[in-house]
Amino acid sequence: SMLQDIEIAGFFTAIFSWGRRDIIISKSKELMELMKNNPYEFVQNYSNKDFTRISKFKHRTFNASDLDFYIRAFQKHYATYHSLEKAFAIKNNASHKTIESHLSHFYLYLSELVPHEKRNLKHISTPVSGAACKRLCMYLRWMVRKDEVDFGLWKTIKPSQLIMPLDVHV
């Protein structure tokens, strides 16, 4: 489905977003080709035999073990939920006006979803450890805001809750 394809492609593109823009784009395209340009279907039908298909994938410190973890985690998530939005959603959303609690929730949620290596989680960050979560904040912007750039597919988090972490690179 288009919603899930955008969620999955957007997630990996955001996670790959450090370093040179041209390389980020080419690595994101390479991953979509490995997923037969149908990421949701690939995630849904993923099994151990598909690992050989992705086993050579690497972007900077992100490797096939990491990719395997996120695919398995998304597969388990989508078995219950229609959208990745639910992975960021907190039951009592009204009392969580800032984005930090949603980011912390996502990190904890993914960490408990499927067995994994400790290293797999280093590609997503959490405010709990003092991280700015720049890439996840960018991903949320794409999913929440609706404009010429952003998809605006998610409604749980409001655009007013989004933040743009500032550092020397921004």
Side-chain angles (χ1 to χ4, degrees), residues 31-39 41-42 50 53:
L31 177 58
M32 290 306 107
E33 283 163 21
L34 284 176
M35 293 180 161
K36 305 168 188 163
N37 291 309
N38 201 334
E41 190 177 288
F42 187 83
D50 294 303
R53 186 173 176 86

Side-chain angles (χ1 to χ4, degrees), residues 64-123:
S65 153
D66 302 317
L67 183 53
D68 174 71
F69 162 66
Y70 290 102
I71 292 172
R72 287 183 298 107
F74 291 167
Q75 184 179 60
K76 177 130 192 239
H77 174 82
Y78 283 123
T80 306
Y81 302 106
H82 173 71
S83 168
L84 266 185
E85 180 175 15
K86 285 283 188 202
F88 287 90
I90 300 163
K91 284 183 176 61
N92 187 7
N93 187 42
S95 67
H96 295 280
K97 299 208 177 356
T98 65
I99 206 67
E100 285 84 356
S101 48
H102 294 276
L103 293 164
S104 305
H105 178 271
F106 178 72
Y107 183 90
L108 199 62
Y109 173 77
L110 269 196
S111 73
E112 295 172 347
L113 216 46
V114 292
H116 59 278
E117 297 174 45
K118 188 172 187 275
R119 63 155 289 131
N120 300 144
L121 288 168
K122 76 177 183 172
H123 302 287

Side-chain angles (χ1 to χ4, degrees), residues 131-143:
C133 307
K134 288 186 295 182
R135 291 172 293 160
L136 284 178
C137 284
M138 180 174 67
Y139 175 61
L140 288 176
R141 178 204 153 143
W142 295 340
M143 296 300 120

